[in-house]
Amino acid sequence: MQEENNISETKANDQTIINNKELNILEALIPVVILMGLLAYNIFFVEGQEWFGAYTNQIILLIGGSVAMINGFFNKVSLGLMLKEIWENLRSVFVPIMILFLVGALAGTWLISGIIPAMVYYGLQVLSPEIFLPASVIIAAIISIATGSSWTTSATVGIALIGIGSALGIPTGMIAGAVISGAYFGDKMSPLSDTTNLAPAMAGTDLFTHIRYMTFTTVPTIVITLVVFAILSSTIETNGNADTAFILETIRTNFNITPWLFVVPLAVIALILLKTKPLIALLTGVVLAAIFAFIFQPDVMKKLSDSKMEVVTNAVLTDTNIEIPDAQYVATFSEEELKTIKADGDLKNIFTDDDVKKIYTKEDLAKVFASYSYSQEKLLSKADNLDKLITIKRLKKLFGSGGMNGMLWTIYLIICAMVFGGVMDAIGALSRITQALLKMATSVFGLFASTVASCLGLNVIASDQYLALVIPGKMFKQAYEDRGLAPENLSRTLEDSGTVTSVLIPWNTCGAYQSGVLGVGVGEYFMYAIFNWLSPFTTLLFAAFKIKIRQLQGKTA
C-alpha cells in the first residue's frame, strides 16, 4: 500500500482517508460526472424501466465504479488497494444489511400477527387528517431522541404511521417526509446517536457542547417544519373521514384486533432504550411477532398454510355490486361492458386490469358513460362503488409485504454504492474533491459554505453519511482553528449538512434504507423531508449573518 510515494493514508475514527498526489481535480470528477449523467438520463429519458430493467441504478453505480477504477490505474493506484477499500466499505455496511433483512422479516411477521393492522386500527381512531402530519413529526422525533436512531424509528413507528396515513388517504410522500423529518431531528439531538457522537469527535469538541450548539439552528428548522406540515394538514383533501368506518370494519373482519398486540413493539423499543444491539432487538421483535401470530391470528395462519391468504383483497360486497375475488378489475362490469371499456381510448385510461389510474367524481363518470345506455342511477351506483373499491385496493397495498425478499433491491443498491464509493476513496478522489472545496473558502462564510458543499458532495459520491462527516471533519478542522472559530461551529455544520441530507440521496445507504423500509421512493418524499433539506440553508443563513458563530478565546475571525 505504501509502495507508491504519491499515495498516503490517514486514519480517522476507523475511516481511511487516502490522498493521491497524482490525481488532479478534473480526473477526480470524471467518474462523478459520468455517474450523474447516466442517472439523469435514466430518470428523464428512460424512467428506470427499459434500460437495464429493475436494477438500472445499481448497474449505473457499477459503471461509475469501473470508470473510477480505470482512472485509478492511470494514476498509479494498485488493484489491491482498490479491492481493499471496496472490501472495507462492504464490511462497514454488513450490519445495516442484516438490519434491512430483519426489518423485512419484521414487516412480514408484524403484518401476519396483526400488529400493523392493530396500529392502523387504533391510530385511525386517534389521529385525524387535520393533525396527522405534524403529529407524525412529533411522534417520530420523540422516538428518535429516545432511541438515538432514525433507522429504528422508521422501522417501528414509521411503518405504522405510513399505514395510518395511507388509510386516511394522505399521500405517502408527505407521510414519509414527516416521519423522516422528525426522525432525523431526534437523531441529531440525541446523545445516543452515533452521528451525534462522531461529529464532535471529528471537530474536537465535547458531546454536550455540540448538542447545545446545534439547538440554535435545529430548533428553528424543526419549528418551520412543523408549521409547514400543519398548513399542509389543514389544506390537504383526503377521503379519510368517509372511509374510516369501512376501513375499520374491513380490518376487524380479517384480523383479531386487541391491545395485547402492542406488547411486541413496546418490547422492541424497550430493548433499544436499554442499549441492546439493534440486531438482537429486531430479531426479538420478529420472534415475538411469530409467536403472537399463532396466538392471536389462527385464521390468518390457517389461510397462510393453505396458500390461500389474500389479506383484504377477498372482500365481496354483493350489496354494492363490487366483487373482486381475484382482484382482476377495478370495477365489476359485465364482460361485454369490459370489452367496450378496453376498446375505448378514453375509458381504458380510467379502468385498467391493475389499478385505478385516476379518481373521478360521480359527475365525471356520468359524462364518460353518456354515450352508453347506462341509467343515471346505475352510473352513480358504480361511482359510489368505485370509492369503496379504491379503499380496498389501498388496504391491499398497505397490508402487502415483500418480507425479506422485498428488501433485496435496496440491499443490492447499497452494495453497488459501496463499490463505487470504495473505488473513489481508493484513488484519492474523495480527498481531492474536498481539498478543492477547502481552497475556495476565502472568508468565514466561504468556509461554512465549503463545508456544506463537501458534506453534500460526499453523500452523493461516497454514498455513506459517515464518510460525509469524517472526511470534511478531518480536512476542515485546521481551517476553522486558523480562522479563530470554535470547533463546535464545524461539528454543527457537519451534522446540519452531512447527517440530515444523506437520506435525500437514493443510492446513499440512508436514502436506500428509508425508501426500502417505508416503501416510498426518495423522489416521492424528497420535497416533503422539509427538515432535512432546510437544515443546510439554516446553517448557511446563520453563517452569513454571523449568528451564534462562536470564536476561540482570544481570537477573532
Side-chain angles (χ1 to χ4, degrees):
M1 185 174 299
Q2 300 299 330
E3 58 189 60
E4 299 289 350
N5 293 329
N6 60 298
I7 297 176
S8 62
E9 292 185 0
T10 303
K11 281 282 187 180
N13 284 59
D14 296 326
Q15 297 281 354
T16 303
I17 303 172
I18 296 178
N19 296 292
N20 185 354
K21 296 178 182 178
E22 292 285 336
L23 191 74
N24 61 49
I25 184 61
L26 292 178
E27 290 172 326
L29 288 172
I30 288 173
V32 180
V33 172
I34 291 176
L35 174 70
M36 301 307 292
L38 290 175
L39 288 169
Y41 179 81
N42 180 56
I43 292 170
F44 294 109
F45 297 101
V46 188
E47 297 182 354
Q49 299 299 322
E50 301 172 3
W51 197 0
F52 296 121
Y55 296 102
T56 297
N57 286 345
Q58 287 87 336
I59 293 174
I60 288 175
L61 283 165
L62 293 178
I63 291 173
S66 300
V67 172
M69 190 171 285
I70 294 170
N71 199 347
F73 288 139
F74 279 104
N75 285 279
K76 302 179 181 180
V77 182
S78 68
L79 177 62
L81 178 58
M82 287 186 275
L83 293 177
K84 176 181 177 294
E85 288 304 308
I86 290 173
W87 169 247
E88 290 296 328
N89 269 18
L90 291 174
R91 192 174 66 171
S92 71
V93 296
F94 175 76
V95 172
I97 285 174
M98 294 304 297
I99 289 175
L100 276 169
F101 271 123
L102 282 176
V103 167
L106 197 77
T109 54
W110 282 24
L111 166 64
I112 296 171
S113 62
I115 295 170
I116 292 176
M119 289 177 173
V120 175
Y121 182 84
Y122 290 112
L124 285 174
Q125 300 175 65
V126 175
L127 295 172
S128 65
E130 292 76 19
I131 64 167
F132 182 81
L133 292 175
S136 296
V137 175
I138 295 170
I139 292 169
I142 292 172
I143 298 298
S144 190
I145 289 173
T147 61
S149 171
S150 58
W151 284 32
T152 302
T153 300
S154 297
T156 50
V157 299
I159 292 175
L161 290 169
I162 288 286
I164 297 167
S166 298
L168 288 171
I170 299 173
T172 53
M174 287 187 184
I175 307 165
V179 169
I180 289 169
S181 292
Y184 274 81
F185 167 81
D187 194 309
K188 276 183 64 180
M189 301 305 293
S190 174
L192 303 176
S193 169
D194 50 3
T195 56
T196 306
N197 282 272
L198 179 60
M202 296 310 306
T205 187
D206 66 275
L207 173 63
F208 290 101
T209 297
H210 167 63
I211 291 175
R212 286 195 299 271
Y213 206 61
M214 275 201 301
T215 59
F216 296 125
T217 56
T218 303
V219 171
T221 306
I222 197 66
V223 169
I224 294 172
T225 300
L226 285 168
V227 170
V228 172
F229 277 119
I231 294 171
L232 285 174
S233 286
S234 64
T235 57
I236 188 173
E237 292 184 7
T238 70
N239 52 359
N241 291 332
D243 287 343
T244 299
F246 178 66
I247 293 171
L248 296 177
E249 179 186 352
T250 305
I251 293 174
R252 288 201 68 89
T253 300
N254 287 273
F255 295 96
N256 177 26
I257 303 299
T258 169
W260 285 106
L261 292 169
F262 287 95
V263 169
V264 177
L266 289 175
V268 173
I269 292 173
L271 287 172
I272 294 168
L273 291 176
L274 292 172
K275 298 184 179 180
T276 306
K277 291 184 177 180
L279 287 175
I280 295 176
L282 292 174
L283 181 60
T284 302
V286 172
V287 173
L288 287 177
I291 295 171
F292 274 48
F294 283 100
I295 296 173
F296 294 104
Q297 312 298 338
D299 293 339
V300 173
M301 295 303 293
K302 184 177 184 300
K303 290 180 182 178
L304 185 63
S305 64
D306 293 339
S307 301
K308 294 180 181 178
M309 181 182 177
E310 289 187 25
V311 180
V312 177
T313 58
N314 281 338
V316 178
L317 308 175
T318 54
D319 58 327
T320 57
N321 196 30
I322 294 182
E323 298 178 16
I324 50 170
D326 298 317
Q328 289 180 330
Y329 298 105
V330 301
T332 55
F333 299 101
S334 67
E335 289 187 13
E336 197 62 36
E337 291 168 344
L338 282 170
K339 288 179 182 178
T340 304
I341 288 171
K342 294 176 75 174
D344 188 288
D346 294 326
L347 298 181
K348 70 181 181 182
N349 290 327
I350 303 171
F351 300 109
T352 69
D353 292 349
D354 298 322
D355 206 352
V356 176
K357 299 301 181 185
K358 185 175 180 181
I359 299 174
Y360 282 75
T361 64
K362 299 174 185 179
E363 292 75 14
D364 289 334
L365 284 174
K367 293 177 182 177
V368 168
F369 289 102
S371 59
Y372 300 95
S373 58
Y374 293 139
S375 67
Q376 185 70 13
E377 181 180 353
K378 187 175 182 181
L379 288 171
L380 295 178
S381 173
K382 287 188 179 295
D384 286 333
N385 298 341
L386 186 59
D387 289 337
K388 287 193 175 182
L389 184 57
I390 291 166
T391 299
I392 293 172
K393 293 186 74 65
R394 188 188 302 143
L395 288 173
K396 176 190 173 185
K397 182 179 180 181
L398 169 61
F399 293 147
S401 171
M404 296 174 75
N405 185 61
M407 290 295 171
L408 288 178
W409 188 93
T410 300
I411 290 169
Y412 293 151
L413 184 67
I414 290 174
I415 290 172
C416 294
M418 290 300 98
V419 170
F420 176 75
V423 178
M424 288 292 287
D425 192 13
I427 68 175
L430 302 184
S431 174
R432 179 62 65 193
I433 292 170
T434 304
Q435 289 171 359
L437 290 169
L438 179 57
K439 290 179 181 178
M440 297 170 61
T442 57
S443 63
V444 171
F445 176 77
L447 184 59
F448 279 87
S450 296
T451 308
V452 170
S454 179
C455 292
L456 291 173
L458 286 169
N459 265 327
V460 172
I461 301 168
S463 307
D464 182 78
Q465 70 171 350
Y466 298 109
L467 284 174
L469 297 177
V470 169
I471 294 178
K474 181 70 178 178
M475 297 293 184
F476 285 80
K477 182 178 179 181
Q478 188 60 47
Y480 275 73
E481 185 177 335
D482 292 343
R483 295 285 173 85
L485 298 170
E488 47 267 36
N489 290 289
L490 174 58
S491 65
R492 182 179 71 184
T493 307
L494 292 175
E495 287 254 63
D496 284 345
S497 53
T499 299
V500 299
T501 60
S502 57
V503 74
L504 303 177
I505 312 301
W507 55 89
N508 189 286
T509 52
C510 294
Y513 174 86
Q514 297 290 351
S515 176
V517 169
L518 298 176
V520 182
V522 175
E524 293 180 68
Y525 70 64
F526 184 97
M527 67 179 294
Y528 298 112
I530 298 166
F531 176 81
N532 301 72
W533 57 256
L534 188 60
S535 290
F537 290 104
T538 305
T539 203
L540 288 176
L541 186 66
F542 273 57
F545 290 96
K546 297 183 178 180
I547 304 170
K548 296 298 179 181
I549 305 300
R550 184 172 295 172
Q551 307 294 318
L552 288 170
Q553 291 185 353
K555 291 189 177 183
T556 57

